[in-house]
Amino acid sequence: MAGVYDLAIVGGGINGCGIARDAAGRGCSVYLCEQKDLASGTSSASTKLIHGGLRYLEYYEFRLVREALREREVLWRMAPHIIWPLRFVLPHLPGLRPSWFLRLGLFLYDHLGGREKLPGTRGLDLLSDPAGKPLKPGFGRAFEYSDCWVDDARLVVLNAQDAARMGAAIRTRTRFLSAVREDGLWSVTVEDARSGRRSSIRARALVNAAGPWVSEVMRQGARSTVDARIRLVQGSHIVVPKLFDHDRCYIFQNADKRIVFAIPYERDFTLIGTTDNDYQGDPADVRASEAEIAYLCVAAGDYFAKPVTPADVVWTYSGVRPLYDDGASTAQAATRDYVLALDAPADGKAALLNIFGGKITTYRRLADAAIAKLAPFLPKLAPGTSDWSSAGTLPGGDFPVDGVAALFAELRGRAPFLTQPHLERLVRTYGTRARRILDSAARPEDLGRDFGGTLTEAEVRYLMTEEWAETAEDVLWRRTKLGLRLDVAQAQALDAFMTEERSRRERASDAAE
């Protein structure tokens, strides 16, 4: 059994990795286990937005919206390569929310969150503005406001990278089995998902950030008696060939009072989502249903001049949101705020913190609140370090928010043999860490084999060495979205390469021992 960690975390999504980074940055020793790949569940299935949540104002979630609005520019500064501003066009449709109601909501949205760099709301004439061109005739007025785009899966990985840089042990493909309190500590048993080998670690405190599996870990794995219930809500998205040429996003109101986004995606596509349905099955088996796909097609087709049909869909993804069950009558009305349920013995040792709900936008604030809850059980916690993470940057994000063009120009000078789309993808994926991938390459051949879609051996090796990628799925659908570009044969060739590369590394490691 290894030495004692200050904190053990179950779950490699945004909450788990955010807490790991926060704790490691405040002087704690941290162990995190994830049963699959980082961001393999809910955290890679979002609508890819850093946003305040305009519709949450209708449910009087003012604290949540205010906190989320304040986080937009904080996160943008931390990771300007994977987060950037996006303008949202909200067409006014008579018979739904009245225009005065929308103006009031957008006024609050502009002024609740200390906006500095993001532009404010303005009105649009859709008859003359290019945003009106893809829409059906009859839409005359719209409002335009700001939020931000994020590559959600990469945000998780960057938090894990930063946590590891500060000493955290990040263990992917490591399944949590059980945790028991022994002599004032947690004894946590885990299993390597590849070999089946079991091992144990000890920790002063335990965080259950297992997302949709939070109840399973809480009741069965840790035998907690905390009285808190989870509500699983499914959110599905579809991706279709791009429906418009400009770089703005649409937010559409529907007759059922829900909203749907249509967002420019990976240069050649449009992302449409999301749904809100209560979910009863195994979270590992969640898929976009035919009914959800049809719903999103109809919702988009109500606004766009060009019909959107299920036959147009090139990819779907779906996730299960682990919301705190506040008794709301509908899934869309259930709170998106986070709830931290502490299970602590009377002796003040071996605390368990269960994480319910949360939004990707407020993950950093959730992490800070989680550490505050656990502070009495973490003697090594550096004093006066609350909210330290807002001042730093995430890996690759150490350049100004308006410095993307300058970074691109630098890499263009370093690697003039690469195409503009290739360089733009590297900058938007890795920021300044693209330098590590390019290294001293002087010609395309120096980057090794091209698997398709500009994905090279050099990039894959970087992802395996620095970002815990082990399979083609990890690379194509989480570290990048090049799964939209590669065909089946190319994906299989990538997987074969990565399998051989893993074996080679294991043989080298065994020989070194």
Side-chain angles (χ1 to χ4, degrees):
M1 185 178 287
V4 177
Y5 291 92
D6 293 310
L7 192 61
I9 301 170
V10 180
I14 190 59
N15 290 338
C17 291
I19 292 170
R21 175 177 182 259
D22 194 308
R26 295 166 68 176
C28 294
S29 56
V30 177
Y31 174 94
L32 180 146
C33 64
E34 161 56 45
Q35 63 179 341
K36 296 181 180 178
D37 182 30
L38 297 173
S40 57
T42 307
S43 294
S44 61
S46 76
T47 314
K48 325 296 184 192
L49 300 178
I50 298 294
H51 67 138
L54 182 61
R55 72 181 182 89
Y56 304 149
L57 291 174
E58 288 187 288
Y59 299 104
Y60 308 108
E61 297 262 22
F62 296 112
R63 190 210 63 79
L64 173 63
V65 174
R66 181 184 179 87
E67 183 175 84
L69 289 171
R70 287 179 168 179
E71 282 296 285
R72 294 178 304 176
E73 296 193 21
V74 172
L75 297 179
W76 179 22
R77 288 194 301 270
M78 289 170 56
H81 50 320
I82 63 163
I83 297 173
W84 57 87
L86 186 62
R87 294 291 280 174
F88 290 72
V89 176
L90 171 58
H92 175 244
L93 188 62
L96 297 181
R97 297 169 180 89
S99 59
W100 68 263
F101 185 78
L102 297 177
R103 283 197 300 270
L104 174 60
L106 289 167
F107 176 83
L108 292 172
Y109 209 70
D110 274 349
H111 294 89
L112 273 177
R115 178 178 52 85
E116 295 179 4
K117 289 183 175 291
L118 293 173
T121 299
R122 67 176 184 134
L124 292 183
D125 179 358
L126 293 176
L127 299 179
S128 58
D129 191 281
K133 186 176 180 181
L135 303 180
K136 288 180 175 179
F139 292 103
R141 300 178 60 202
F143 300 95
E144 183 183 276
Y145 67 95
S146 291
D147 269 322
C148 291
W149 163 266
V150 64
D151 186 325
D152 52 4
R154 290 210 56 74
L155 184 65
V156 175
V157 170
L158 297 188
N159 274 272
Q161 270 189 302
D162 217 26
R165 177 185 66 83
M166 295 181 285
I170 307 296
R171 301 288 184 259
T172 61
R173 269 84 183 186
T174 302
R175 186 179 298 113
F176 167 83
L177 295 180
S178 65
V180 295
R181 290 181 171 105
E182 293 180 348
D183 301 324
L185 297 171
W186 282 106
S187 177
V188 181
T189 301
V190 298
E191 180 181 79
D192 187 307
R194 296 148 295 195
S195 67
R197 187 182 304 114
R198 295 186 177 186
S199 59
S200 296
I201 62 100
R202 293 181 295 169
R204 292 183 174 86
L206 177 64
V207 171
N208 175 11
W213 293 271
V214 64
S215 291
E216 180 180 330
V217 170
M218 183 174 66
R219 307 290 185 207
Q220 299 176 24
R223 294 186 283 278
S224 173
T225 58
V226 167
D227 184 20
R229 294 177 299 170
I230 189 173
R231 182 171 188 167
L232 298 181
V233 175
Q234 180 176 2
S236 297
H237 299 75
I238 61 174
V239 175
V240 300
K242 69 177 181 180
L243 299 170
F244 47 91
D245 292 324
H246 58 77
D247 61 358
R248 287 176 282 180
C249 163
Y250 293 95
I251 173 172
F252 297 143
Q253 303 179 76
N254 297 325
D256 60 6
K257 295 189 176 181
R258 295 192 49 245
I259 55 97
V260 166
F261 294 99
I263 306 171
Y265 192 64
E266 296 296 315
R267 294 179 54 213
D268 299 318
F269 304 93
T270 299
L271 171 66
I272 301 172
T274 180
T275 58
D276 269 311
N277 298 310
D278 285 309
Y279 184 77
Q280 304 297 331
D282 183 345
D285 296 333
V286 65
R287 300 287 186 277
S289 67
E290 291 184 7
E292 288 179 303
I293 294 170
Y295 173 88
L296 293 173
C297 288
V298 170
D302 285 343
Y303 285 83
F304 287 118
K306 179 182 178 181
V308 180
T309 71
D312 297 321
V313 176
V314 299
W315 182 48
T316 70
Y317 65 88
S318 190
V320 177
R321 308 179 190 101
L323 305 182
Y324 180 75
D325 190 353
D326 61 353
S329 58
T330 62
Q332 58 264 34
T335 182
R336 264 53 177 179
D337 209 346
Y338 52 82
V339 174
L340 310 178
L342 184 67
D343 177 353
D347 63 4
K349 296 180 180 180
L352 167 65
L353 185 65
N354 300 289
I355 311 295
F356 296 86
K359 288 163 45 67
I360 199 163
T361 303
T362 54
Y363 86 89
R364 199 186 60 83
R365 297 295 295 271
L366 181 153
D368 186 62
I371 300 301
K373 282 263 190 184
L374 291 170
F377 312 95
L378 301 173
K380 293 183 182 178
L381 191 67
T385 54
S386 178
D387 201 33
W388 71 270
S389 61
S390 63
T393 59
L394 291 172
D398 50 338
F399 63 95
V401 295
D402 58 357
V404 173
L407 180 57
F408 176 84
E410 177 205 322
L411 295 179
R412 163 62 73 199
R414 181 189 291 252
F417 53 87
L418 295 184
T419 65
Q420 179 169 326
H422 190 172
L423 276 174
E424 287 178 347
R425 185 181 68 78
L426 291 178
V427 169
R428 281 305 191 185
T429 306
Y430 305 103
T432 58
R433 291 205 164 195
R435 298 165 183 155
R436 301 189 184 194
I437 296 171
L438 296 175
D439 195 22
S440 58
R443 54 181 185 163
E445 293 79 8
D446 294 336
L447 297 176
R449 178 179 177 182
D450 186 338
F451 294 98
T454 73
L455 180 67
T456 64
E457 279 188 31
E459 183 175 352
V460 174
R461 287 197 171 98
Y462 170 86
L463 292 171
M464 296 183 73
T465 302
E466 302 287 340
E467 296 193 3
W468 299 276
E470 294 192 13
T471 69
E473 182 182 352
D474 299 347
V475 171
L476 297 180
W477 296 111
R478 285 182 287 277
R479 307 306 185 280
T480 75
K481 292 299 180 288
L482 291 175
L484 291 166
R485 310 283 181 187
L486 273 64
D487 60 28
V488 173
Q490 290 172 315
Q492 290 174 340
L494 171 62
D495 214 29
F497 169 80
M498 294 180 70
T499 299
E500 176 55 34
E501 182 70 9
R502 284 200 315 277
S503 296
R504 183 189 66 77
R505 295 183 184 200
E506 289 169 1
R507 291 194 298 269
S509 176
D510 291 342
E513 294 177 356

